[in-house]
Amino acid sequence: MAEYVAGFAPDWISPPGDTIADLLEEYGWTQAELAKRTGYTLKHINLLINGKASITDETALRLERVLGSVAGFWLNREARYRERLARDAEEKRFNTWTSWLDRLPVRELMNAGAITKRRVDTAQKPFIVKDLLRFFGVASPDEWQTHYEQAQLSFRRTRPEQSDTGAISAWLRMGEITAEKTKIPKFDKSKFESSLREVRKLTILPPDDFEPQLRRYCSESGVIFVLVPSIPRAHVSGVARWYAQKTIIQLSLYGKTNDKFWFNFFHEAAHLLFHDKNDVFLDEFTGVSLDSPEEREANKWAGDFLIPPKWIPVLPSLKTRRAVCDFAERIGIHPGIVVGRLQHDEIIDLAWMNNLKVSFRFREEPVG
């Protein structure tokens, strides 16, 4: 007589009743005999063997006493069988949800390492659906739509093009995942404002030198600074937000020279210092005027913080590379930032002195 133990794992697809049937054959018992020994009706035994009735705690104990196996084996066998049935049903649902992929930047998320790289074909689409549900942390596309489309009602945008829910939600979610894994103290506005004065000094450093210090200054103030690969359809290069009781500045490096990067950073910092924590500020700087009072305030604060108003009268005289470099050294910022301001204020042509700017290519955050 064979001994069945909890560690034995038969084929998950088959119901536990297959094991019962095997034992009955080995014992030479009929279903009617098992019914009499267990106290169940013949109909219930038949349902158990065909997987139509579940093995409960009580059933497992009865089978343990009658068939000589342990209750844990039967419960484990039942759980794995039901899980497999549920997964089979889930896979069928995934097949009906593949149209959801048309709303999301699938390839961009694959390239960013946020989800597994797969061929986007009929055979792989159900698996991509599953990957994306896990990425967003939702049970179905309906929950994604409810959560992210409702959330976007509170977003503050700098451009009307920032309306692609799929692209925006994907870019924001990459930052959320980093935030969820990061332990950080509560946001301290006073400490953050003080730290920004130290951060300004970092503008003269190369990325490998300033990046860890920038993160440290932010972290000590209760701000998570995160870099996320850009998603073009999102039209977002920076965001300031509060998420899961954490404070985040999230930037991409898409097309960023150091003048744009630092202006972007201090612009988002201004949102955290001065604006409603219930708002999510989606920013993309393209040189267009901003209608929002909050955006105008953040713009002005960032510009004044980098080049204080008392130095503005000097700017029109900065017409040579040497003059720009001397001025930048005098006020303690990188000359590329001065060039960006001169171009923005139309003091010099957009094509002038761009070689004083630095393009940033340092490593962006891994996701997942």
Side-chain angles (χ1 to χ4, degrees):
M1 188 177 298
E3 181 71 16
Y4 283 76
V5 296
F8 176 61
D11 187 350
W12 290 7
I13 300 178
S14 67
D18 287 355
T19 306
I20 296 174
D22 290 343
L23 286 171
L24 291 183
E25 183 178 355
E26 185 173 340
Y27 290 179
W29 292 353
T30 63
Q31 291 187 24
E33 179 69 18
L34 181 61
K36 287 190 293 184
R37 290 174 179 270
T38 58
Y40 287 128
T41 64
L42 177 59
K43 179 181 179 180
H44 189 70
I45 293 297
N46 185 261
L47 291 173
L48 282 173
I49 289 176
N50 287 288
K52 301 294 179 61
S54 299
I55 294 178
T56 63
D57 292 349
E58 175 61 28
T59 303
L61 291 170
R62 293 192 192 192
L63 292 174
E64 177 182 278
R65 293 193 293 270
V66 173
L67 297 177
S69 56
V70 294
F73 164 76
W74 295 111
L75 292 173
N76 187 52
R77 184 82 166 81
E78 175 70 24
R80 290 186 173 185
Y81 173 64
R82 298 299 165 186
E83 180 185 356
R84 182 55 184 267
L85 289 181
R87 290 194 179 280
D88 287 347
E90 181 182 61
E91 288 179 11
K92 292 177 181 177
R93 288 195 295 273
F94 289 162
N95 276 291
T96 68
W97 292 340
T98 56
S99 61
W100 178 49
L101 302 182
D102 296 335
R103 304 185 61 187
L104 298 169
V106 175
R107 294 190 186 279
E108 289 89 342
L109 288 171
M110 289 181 182
N111 291 335
I115 61 174
T116 302
K117 280 195 173 184
R118 306 179 189 273
R119 296 183 63 179
V120 186
D121 56 23
T122 302
Q124 291 296 312
K125 281 184 176 182
F127 297 103
I128 299 173
V129 168
K130 183 177 182 180
D131 292 342
L132 286 166
L133 292 174
R134 295 185 68 178
F135 167 73
F136 282 110
V138 294
S140 78
D142 287 340
E143 281 70 45
W144 172 83
Q145 182 169 336
T146 298
H147 177 76
Y148 285 98
E149 291 198 336
Q150 285 186 353
Q152 288 210 48
L153 295 176
S154 67
F155 291 175
R156 309 293 291 272
R157 298 167 167 84
T158 59
R159 298 182 67 192
E161 290 88 344
Q162 294 166 314
S163 59
D164 189 318
T165 302
I168 293 171
S169 64
W171 191 76
L172 292 176
R173 180 60 184 157
M174 286 192 279
E176 291 172 359
I177 291 172
T178 298
E180 288 167 356
K181 296 185 294 185
T182 303
K183 292 183 179 180
I184 198 166
K186 186 177 179 181
F187 176 58
D188 186 327
K189 179 179 177 180
S190 177
K191 191 169 185 178
F192 183 54
E193 195 164 11
S194 177
S195 294
L196 290 175
R197 289 191 286 272
E198 298 303 314
V199 170
R200 184 180 179 276
K201 299 175 184 177
L202 302 179
T203 65
I204 63 174
L205 301 178
D208 287 344
D209 294 334
F210 80 64
E211 182 189 0
Q213 296 185 65
L214 174 58
R215 293 182 187 279
R216 177 171 59 82
Y217 281 125
C218 287
S219 179
E220 290 173 351
S221 306
V223 176
I224 298 171
F225 173 69
V226 57
L227 287 167
V228 171
S230 63
I231 295 181
R233 281 175 16 214
H235 294 285
V236 182
S237 59
V239 66
R241 64 186 301 210
W242 283 260
Y243 170 77
Q245 300 181 345
K246 295 178 180 179
T247 309
I248 304 171
I249 289 179
Q250 179 174 329
L251 302 180
S252 78
L253 290 182
Y254 181 71
K256 277 202 173 54
T257 48
N258 62 336
D259 60 318
K260 293 179 181 178
F261 174 85
W262 285 113
F263 184 85
N264 202 169
F265 173 81
F266 287 112
H267 178 102
E268 303 306 339
H271 284 312
L272 297 183
L273 291 174
F274 306 121
H275 300 143
D276 193 330
K277 68 189 306 181
N278 293 317
D279 287 330
V280 177
F281 296 93
L282 304 179
D283 294 311
E284 183 181 35
F285 299 104
T286 59
V288 298
S289 60
L290 305 175
D291 293 331
S292 163
E294 292 89 352
E295 295 297 346
R296 288 196 297 270
E297 183 179 24
N299 254 8
K300 185 177 188 309
W301 187 89
D304 289 348
F305 194 79
L306 286 166
I307 301 179
K310 69 177 183 178
W311 295 107
I312 301 304
V314 179
L315 295 182
S317 67
L318 305 178
K319 296 298 180 70
T320 67
R321 178 186 175 95
R322 173 46 54 197
V324 168
C325 291
D326 289 345
F327 176 77
E329 184 177 4
R330 186 177 181 185
I331 68 172
I333 62 173
H334 194 281
I337 298 173
V338 179
V339 172
R341 178 62 180 268
L342 293 174
Q343 292 173 341
H344 177 270
D345 291 355
E346 299 182 347
I347 295 172
I348 64 172
D349 189 270
L350 291 176
W352 285 16
M353 293 191 251
N354 284 318
N355 57 356
L356 287 178
K357 298 180 182 181
V358 178
S359 294
F360 285 165
R361 296 289 184 271
F362 57 81
R363 184 177 63 256
E364 295 175 319
E365 298 289 348
V367 181

